Amino acid sequence: MQPIVLGNTTLIRYFVHTYTDIMKLKMTVVLLVCINICYAQQYTSSDIDSLKNIASKQQIDSSNVNTICELAIAYYRTAPDSGLIYGFEALRISKKSEWEIGQAKAYKVIAINYIALSEYAKALENLLAALEVYEKYNYDREVASIYNKLGLVYARNDNSKALSYYQKSLDLYQKINDINGVAQVYGNMGNVYFSTTNYAKALSNYNLALEQCRKHNDNYGIAQNVQNIAMINTVEANYKEALKNNELAIDINEKLNNQYGLAISYGNLGVLYMYILQDSTTNFKLPYDKNTSLKTAIHYLEKSVNIAQNLGALDIAQNFYKDLSDAEKMLGNNGKALEYYKLYSLYKDSVYSRKRLQRMSYLETERDIYIKDKQIQINNLKLEKRNNQIILIGAGSLLLMLSLVFLYKERRKSENLLLNILPNAVAKRLKNKEHPIADNLPEVSVLFADMVGFTKYTTESNPKHIVNMLNDIFTVFDEIVEKNGLEKIKTIGDCYMAAAGAPNSMSNHAAAAAITAIEIKKSVNNLKEKYGINIDFRIGVDCGQAIGGVLGKKKFVYDIWGDTVNTASRMESTGIAGKIHCTENFKEALEHKFLFSRGEYMQIKGKGMMQTWFLERSID
């Protein structure tokens, strides 16, 4: 089941407490859903350390696979990239021993972590692989569990299909009298109805889930459903009930020491206070004056983000930092409001950047697994050849040498991977212990390219085809960017970002960005013929000042920020498919070298009214 997180009150303010279904629908789109795939206790760092210790002492058998799968589950909320690593290790062991049920368990935990990372195509592939095995052996409970998670995947874009899988799961769970499973499915069905603003059905399903949880004293599930019921009461302006349920959820989570639940409950209570303060139509009164109520909201929001930071739950921290900024602004503390908004922006970028660094985590864990396997081999040799010390020492020495050689090679791989992830100049500075890295970039040009209609295309196409197509497209973009001296900054889904003049200054940054944009536009036409589909990209460009730097302490990422970056992004999002949309500032930098056509005089978010232009070609 998924607990609802209520956030971003600045966006909500306009939509709250109107009297039409249309306005309720608009309000729903700014409610954020955080993945919580099953009712389970919150794993602490000591729990995880204990599981790791158990796994290290076990023989490579079914018990070891079960422990590693539990480790994968322990990580899915706060570090799903690490959860994937353990899931793939469980799959490797199960395949080696040809244990099909173990493989199904591994596929399942891999899918759960992919869901937490919002990588639904990969989650679907692994869920179907697990389902095939469980159906083969008539494991009804596991089949019901897979149906439930298939519902979670389809809930992102096909509510009808999601409800169909949830119903299959519910029927099976009821057949085998699995109360916990029934509660999960009712809760997930409630989330689907909540997302479509069918609050009556959502409330009915949350209450059914709550009833099941109370039957078997599942306090974790009780807290989640009470929290979700509080959200229904909030959007329906039943503030008295919303406060009562929110406080009850906090009380249960505090008794359970459920830190993940507390991060959500504290944050939602803070936002609830802000809802009430901004509702001019309600007769409900908070027990404090406006300023005291705002300070109370800030108190709960700060507790939420502090817990989220400790858990590594960047998405929760990001969401409630925005609300903290809004609350401080309402109090007139503009300095504090700006500080929290910067943290919101920083965490937002960190959430996007985390996926880019998964490859490094895989490499490090692959090395750890190799060393563990070698140690197991050494121990087996000691038991089997107790009376032959010379052979044992020779074998141990050989294995040690192999391990050292392997570690050396892996270190070289890690260094090469670092150079692939970061610009060469930045990677060298990091290797020289320079951190943090923060540079002022007085003159840069920033380019964004985003595929038109990508979301719809993904729902209609084969996942492997989509991945292969994106890989081909971005590989072509990489070659163009590198050839023209630009630096690729990142990709977010189907959006590609590059910059000229970062991290190293570039005198002709605007011209280089213009040439790159034109070549990218031409390359897309060639790719259309290859794939036989009508794909197109919007491209946006701007030039000016920016800030560049490296985020993180262990997993580094280079990024740039500033008004120029934001404006370039706005140029892309307000542009036209197959066109290069740019600012007047960019046009003035190149008007004697390139041909431009006049665009619209339009409202640009955060900038006001702007005259925009379309870059056509260079002047020969």
Side-chain angles (χ1 to χ4, degrees), residues 460-560:
E460 301 171 349
S461 303
N462 179 279
K464 288 185 178 178
H465 178 77
I466 294 168
V467 172
N468 288 335
M469 181 189 69
L470 276 180
N471 182 62
D472 283 358
I473 292 171
F474 287 163
T475 298
V476 172
F477 288 8
D478 286 345
E479 291 171 355
I480 295 170
V481 162
E482 184 176 2
K483 180 186 72 173
N484 292 311
L486 277 72
E487 183 68 44
K488 176 182 177 181
I489 302 299
K490 59 187 171 185
T491 59
I492 304 169
D494 60 320
C495 182
Y496 187 97
M497 176 185 176
N504 300 319
S505 62
M506 193 175 185
S507 59
N508 63 334
H509 60 89
I515 292 168
T516 299
I518 292 168
E519 291 182 359
I520 283 177
K521 176 183 171 183
K522 289 179 180 177
S523 73
V524 172
N525 293 327
N526 297 330
L527 292 164
K528 286 181 183 180
E529 294 183 12
K530 177 176 179 179
Y531 285 98
I533 58 172
N534 187 24
I535 59 171
D536 232 324
F537 277 77
R538 291 188 304 267
I539 301 174
V541 196
D542 188 25
C543 62
Q545 292 183 334
I547 296 170
V550 175
L551 299 176
K553 293 182 178 179
K554 293 184 179 179
K555 298 179 179 180
F556 302 112
V557 58
Y558 179 79
D559 209 343
I560 61 174

Side-chain angles (χ1 to χ4, degrees), residues 199-318:
Y199 299 130
K201 282 194 173 182
L203 183 61
S204 173
N205 278 275
Y206 289 147
N207 278 319
L208 286 168
L210 183 59
E211 179 185 344
Q212 299 298 317
C213 291
R214 284 175 172 157
K215 280 183 181 179
H216 67 299
N217 298 317
D218 178 5
N219 289 321
Y220 290 93
I222 291 170
Q224 285 185 15
N225 283 288
V226 167
Q227 180 68 69
N228 285 350
I229 291 169
M231 293 303 95
I232 296 283
N233 289 322
T234 298
V235 298
E236 298 248 282
N238 298 323
Y239 295 131
K240 183 177 179 180
E241 289 299 310
L243 276 170
K244 183 175 73 174
N245 285 319
N246 221 326
E247 289 167 353
L248 175 59
I250 288 174
D251 181 59
I252 296 172
N253 283 322
E254 284 178 341
K255 288 177 181 177
L256 294 171
N257 193 28
N258 181 4
Q259 296 298 300
Y260 186 88
L262 281 173
I264 295 173
S265 297
Y266 284 142
N268 281 350
L269 183 56
V271 173
L272 175 57
Y273 269 76
M274 295 173 71
Y275 254 69
I276 297 169
L277 288 171
Q278 295 171 85
D279 185 359
S280 59
T281 66
T282 183
N283 294 321
F284 182 82
K285 300 296 181 185
L286 288 167
Y288 319 110
D289 60 35
K290 181 178 179 180
N291 280 2
T292 304
S293 296
L294 277 172
K295 290 175 182 177
T296 304
I298 290 169
H299 167 73
Y300 284 116
L301 288 166
E302 286 178 336
K303 290 181 77 170
S304 170
V305 296
N306 287 336
I307 293 172
Q309 282 179 324
N310 291 334
L311 290 174
L314 303 186
D315 48 350
I316 296 176
Q318 168 208 331

Side-chain angles (χ1 to χ4, degrees), residues 48 120 138 151 198 200 218 232 280 284 303 340 384 422 438 443 446 453 457 490 540 542 580 583 590 596 601:
I48 292 172
Y120 299 110
N138 297 317
N198 191 337
D218 178 5
I232 296 283
S280 59
F284 182 82
K303 290 181 77 170
Y340 282 129
E384 294 172 5
L422 297 173
E443 288 292 338
V446 181
Y457 182 70
K490 59 187 171 185
D542 188 25
I580 303 167
T583 61
L590 295 172
F596 294 83
Y601 187 65

Side-chain angles (χ1 to χ4, degrees), residues 253-434:
N253 283 322
E254 284 178 341
K255 288 177 181 177
L256 294 171
N257 193 28
N258 181 4
Q259 296 298 300
Y260 186 88
L262 281 173
I264 295 173
S265 297
Y266 284 142
N268 281 350
L269 183 56
V271 173
L272 175 57
Y273 269 76
M274 295 173 71
Y275 254 69
I276 297 169
L277 288 171
Q278 295 171 85
D279 185 359
S280 59
T281 66
T282 183
N283 294 321
F284 182 82
K285 300 296 181 185
L286 288 167
Y288 319 110
D289 60 35
K290 181 178 179 180
N291 280 2
T292 304
S293 296
L294 277 172
K295 290 175 182 177
T296 304
I298 290 169
H299 167 73
Y300 284 116
L301 288 166
E302 286 178 336
K303 290 181 77 170
S304 170
V305 296
N306 287 336
I307 293 172
Q309 282 179 324
N310 291 334
L311 290 174
L314 303 186
D315 48 350
I316 296 176
Q318 168 208 331
N319 195 56
F320 289 128
Y321 269 131
K322 180 65 171 63
D323 296 309
L324 275 167
S325 176
D326 293 339
E328 292 287 2
K329 191 172 183 179
M330 289 170 68
L331 267 178
N333 298 333
N334 291 332
K336 267 282 192 183
L338 180 59
E339 179 183 335
Y340 282 129
Y341 189 83
K342 287 179 178 177
L343 286 169
Y344 158 73
S345 298
L346 178 64
Y347 273 64
K348 183 179 179 182
D349 288 337
S350 296
V351 170
Y352 286 134
S353 299
R354 180 177 58 187
K355 295 178 184 179
R356 189 180 180 189
L357 297 169
Q358 285 177 26
R359 287 180 64 199
M360 186 72 79
S361 294
Y362 279 107
L363 188 61
E364 292 171 354
T365 303
E366 184 180 319
R367 180 195 62 194
D368 292 340
I369 292 167
Y370 179 87
I371 294 172
K372 176 186 171 184
D373 287 345
K374 290 303 173 187
Q375 187 59 51
I376 291 170
Q377 292 179 32
I378 291 172
N379 291 339
N380 288 338
L381 284 171
K382 286 180 180 179
L383 292 172
E384 294 172 5
K385 301 179 181 180
R386 188 188 301 270
N387 298 322
N388 197 339
Q389 294 297 319
I390 295 175
I391 296 175
L392 179 60
I393 292 170
S397 299
L398 177 59
L399 288 169
L400 179 60
M401 289 176 62
L402 289 173
S403 297
L404 290 172
V405 170
F406 177 81
L407 286 171
Y408 172 76
K409 289 182 177 179
E410 292 304 302
R411 181 177 179 183
R412 292 295 298 274
K413 285 182 183 178
S414 297
E415 290 178 354
N416 290 334
L417 187 55
L418 185 65
L419 291 174
N420 285 333
I421 293 173
L422 297 173
N424 189 35
V426 173
K428 288 179 179 178
R429 290 165 69 183
L430 280 174
K431 287 176 68 177
N432 291 330
K433 310 295 184 184
E434 182 182 347

Side-chain angles (χ1 to χ4, degrees), residues 2-184:
Q2 308 165 348
I4 305 298
V5 178
L6 192 59
N8 292 349
T9 54
T10 299
L11 295 173
I12 291 172
R13 188 177 303 144
Y14 178 70
F15 302 124
V16 140
H17 308 313
T18 55
Y19 298 96
T20 67
D21 290 336
I22 293 174
M23 297 310 287
K24 284 184 179 179
L25 179 60
K26 287 184 178 179
M27 181 171 63
T28 302
V29 300
V30 296
L31 295 175
L32 196 65
V33 175
C34 276
I35 294 297
N36 187 21
I37 294 160
C38 55
Y39 297 135
Q41 70 175 52
Q42 175 68 37
Y43 285 87
T44 64
S45 58
S46 60
D47 293 331
I48 292 172
D49 289 341
S50 176
L51 285 170
K52 287 180 179 178
N53 185 48
I54 292 170
S56 68
K57 294 178 180 178
Q58 289 174 327
Q59 295 293 321
I60 303 299
D61 56 17
S62 59
S63 298
N64 188 242
V65 170
N66 290 332
T67 304
I68 294 172
C69 284
E70 189 173 355
L71 269 169
I73 291 293
Y75 276 112
Y76 89 87
R77 277 178 174 162
T78 56
D81 46 354
S82 297
L84 280 176
I85 292 167
Y86 285 104
F88 281 117
E89 170 63 355
L91 182 61
R92 184 185 71 83
I93 296 171
S94 300
K95 283 186 173 180
K96 187 175 180 180
S97 60
E98 298 182 353
W99 183 34
E100 287 189 280
I101 295 300
Q103 293 171 40
K105 290 181 178 183
Y107 284 130
K108 179 180 174 182
V109 298
I110 288 169
I112 288 172
N113 282 281
Y114 273 136
I115 292 173
L117 285 167
S118 301
E119 295 191 26
Y120 299 110
K122 292 180 181 178
L124 181 61
E125 181 181 348
N126 283 276
L127 286 173
L128 294 177
L131 182 63
E132 183 179 355
V133 176
Y134 285 134
E135 285 182 334
K136 175 181 176 181
Y137 290 96
N138 297 317
Y139 276 42
D140 284 349
R141 180 172 278 102
E142 291 298 340
V143 170
S145 175
I146 298 299
Y147 282 151
N148 185 30
K149 289 163 184 60
L150 284 168
L152 280 171
V153 170
Y154 281 108
R156 319 313 298 182
N157 55 22
D158 189 338
N159 288 331
S160 176
K161 205 163 188 176
L163 288 171
S164 174
Y165 275 113
Y166 284 146
Q167 189 61 52
K168 286 183 178 181
S169 177
L170 182 63
D171 292 343
L172 261 180
Y173 276 135
Q174 289 175 332
K175 174 185 172 183
I176 61 178
N177 196 30
D178 187 326
I179 296 175
N180 180 60
V182 169
Q184 287 182 44

